[in-house]
Amino acid sequence: TDAPTEFKLAVLKKGNGAAVADHANVTVHYVGVTWADGTTPFDSSWNRGTPAEFSVDGVVEGFKKALVGQTVGSQVVAVIPPALGYKDQAAGSIPANSTLVFVIDILGTSN
């Protein structure tokens, strides 16, 4: 099917930990694919064998939107349209104007 044109978020598992605040640092496991491919990850912390740690301010807008307000222990799936991703710019193996799909496990957060 055609990629959604709006941001989509589904909570697969609701955690009972602290909520991720705006500007927070997070520890997550994630996998990302493009909507067009859907099977080959362009990035995966699980494949690297170690969680990722970063500020929510250092990722594309849609990834941040998927995290802020969610609680530690949650697993979410986010569909991020190009406008909230890399827009009309290619990024590594991600073609320009790609819709991104992430499954994210939120392992920790700090301000």
Side-chain angles (χ1 to χ4, degrees):
T1 63
D2 292 336
T5 58
E6 296 179 4
F7 176 81
K8 304 283 185 187
L9 181 73
V11 177
L12 303 177
K13 176 184 171 190
K14 179 71 172 164
N16 58 6
V20 176
D22 202 17
H23 311 296
N25 294 314
V26 293
T27 302
V28 299
H29 258 309
Y30 68 91
V31 61
V33 298
T34 63
W35 183 275
D37 181 306
T39 59
T40 305
F42 59 78
D43 195 8
S44 172
S45 64
W46 282 297
N47 286 352
R48 287 192 301 277
T50 186
E53 297 181 16
F54 52 81
S55 167
V56 297
D57 293 329
V59 295
V60 295
E61 186 178 348
F63 200 96
K64 178 178 180 175
K65 190 173 179 175
L67 293 173
V68 172
Q70 299 301 321
T71 53
V72 172
S74 294
Q75 182 178 67
V76 299
V77 60
V79 179
I80 303 170
L84 298 176
Y86 294 105
K87 302 178 175 65
D88 61 356
Q89 302 295 313
S93 63
I94 304 168
N97 298 307
S98 288
T99 297
L100 310 175
V101 181
F102 285 96
V103 175
I104 309 163
D105 279 354
I106 303 168
L107 305 176
T109 186
S110 63
N111 291 330

